[in-house]
Amino acid sequence: MNAFYTWIGGLALQGFLPSDFQYPFLVRGFLCVLIIAPILGGMSHLVVTRRMAFFSAALGQAAITGVALGLLLGEPLNAPYGGMFGFCLLSTLAMVYVKRHATLPPDTLIGVFHALTLGLGLCLLVALTRQFNVHQVESVLFGSLLTVTDGDLLLLVGIGIFVALMLVRKYNSLLLDSLSPPLARVTGAEPAYLEYFFALLLTLSIVVSLKIIGALLVEALVVVPAAAARNVARGTRSYLIWSVAVAFVAGAGGLGISTRFLVPTGGAVVLAATAMFFLTLMARSMGRRGPA
């Protein structure tokens, strides 16, 4: 990896790439954003279609609790993936199970889990400050380029490839189940399996994205690209393509904003995605006025 960073840095010094790329941590951050954006953008339209936006918010809060648990149990500060993924996985399975078997509306049930994980996470964070400085764990909340390691990058690549392969394999069934569960059953799809399957993929994607986007903001990059894409999409295929494109532009633009103005990467990426939403909303409004 060092040879790769040296090569990229040389290109930056020669003027072929932006000067920021002479720093390895910025190269790692840029590569992470380029991988995260298509993953979350590709899942974004399914999250919106399946009405799981609040679900992703609850997972982000569960990640905070998982990080605190992992650190209290002795995990390294720069890679608390065991506690984070373990607690998020348990929360995901519990939310999907209760959602399928309870009579209350799904948003009410997820709200209960959201409150539970948030309250537990805050209590554990207070206990955690006795061992760590609170600023050492704030990158989990808001995202930070400075904490991304080669191990994080390799993990992100591996998870990204796995999630992409699984989505390609089950994409048609997931989309059909999102639009019409009865019709999906007729074709042989199992709604319960698909719900657990997609929830687990979403959990994996969110957990590996936290170091760049942050737990408090990851929901935005899961939801906003699809909302922006829906303003300009003309069909299912264009909906997917536009979601990925918006997430990609927001990731690259947010990274540029964060390096120029020294703001958290997660916040900058989300602001860029939100700006894309309003731009596509304006384009849609102008498009409607034109034919009239």
Side-chain angles (χ1 to χ4, degrees):
M1 293 295 290
N2 289 332
F4 173 75
Y5 297 139
T6 302
W7 177 64
I8 293 294
L11 292 177
L13 290 174
Q14 295 172 28
F16 294 105
L17 292 174
S19 59
D20 293 334
F21 284 97
Q22 61 184 297
Y23 305 109
F25 73 91
L26 284 179
V27 176
R28 283 193 294 267
F30 182 74
L31 292 175
C32 285
V33 169
L34 292 185
I35 298 168
I36 286 172
I39 294 174
L40 297 185
M43 301 189 74
S44 179
H45 73 297
L46 288 173
V47 170
V48 172
T49 304
R50 297 178 72 85
R51 300 181 180 180
M52 295 180 68
F54 196 27
F55 183 92
S56 61
L59 273 181
Q61 304 305 324
I64 299 175
T65 307
V67 168
L69 281 173
L71 294 177
L72 288 173
L73 293 175
E75 284 195 293
L77 182 63
N78 63 342
Y81 287 115
M84 184 162 47
F85 178 70
F87 190 80
C88 284
L89 179 62
L90 291 176
S91 300
T92 296
L93 295 175
M95 281 191 286
V96 174
Y97 179 83
V98 173
K99 177 184 173 185
R100 294 191 60 83
H101 292 84
T103 56
L104 289 172
D107 59 338
T108 303
L109 295 171
I110 294 174
V112 172
F113 278 93
H114 188 279
L116 172 63
T117 56
L118 181 59
L120 180 59
L122 291 175
C123 292
L124 291 176
L125 283 175
V126 172
L128 192 63
T129 55
R130 300 170 187 170
Q131 300 181 23
F132 299 95
N133 188 311
V134 67
H135 296 294
Q136 292 178 289
V137 296
E138 69 179 3
S139 63
V140 179
L141 302 178
F142 303 107
S144 173
L145 286 174
L146 300 177
T147 61
V148 175
T149 64
D150 289 336
D152 297 326
L153 183 57
L154 292 175
L155 179 64
L156 182 59
V157 170
I159 295 297
I161 293 173
F162 174 77
V163 170
L165 291 175
M166 291 297 101
L167 277 180
V168 169
R169 184 178 179 183
K170 293 291 184 180
Y171 178 78
N172 290 335
S173 298
L174 284 169
L175 185 60
L176 184 59
D177 182 62
S178 303
L179 299 174
S180 177
L183 186 58
R185 291 191 189 95
V186 171
T187 62
E190 180 55 49
Y193 166 76
L194 290 175
E195 190 162 5
Y196 279 106
F197 174 81
F198 184 71
L200 291 175
L201 289 186
L202 183 60
T203 301
L204 279 173
S205 302
I206 287 177
V207 167
V208 298
S209 303
L210 289 178
K211 275 215 168 180
I212 300 296
I213 307 302
L216 298 180
L217 300 172
V218 70
E219 177 205 5
L221 201 61
V222 175
V223 176
V224 177
R230 196 160 187 173
N231 290 330
V232 291
R234 293 293 181 266
T236 303
R237 181 176 299 178
S238 64
Y239 193 10
L240 171 61
I241 294 173
W242 272 106
S243 294
V244 174
V246 169
F248 185 85
V249 173
L255 182 62
I257 293 171
S258 68
T259 55
R260 292 292 183 276
F261 300 100
L262 301 180
V263 296
T265 310
V269 170
V270 171
L271 286 176
T274 307
M276 293 286 291
F277 169 78
F278 287 109
L279 287 174
T280 56
L281 187 63
M282 291 173 58
R284 179 184 181 184
S285 178
M286 293 174 64
R288 284 182 172 180
R289 290 180 182 179

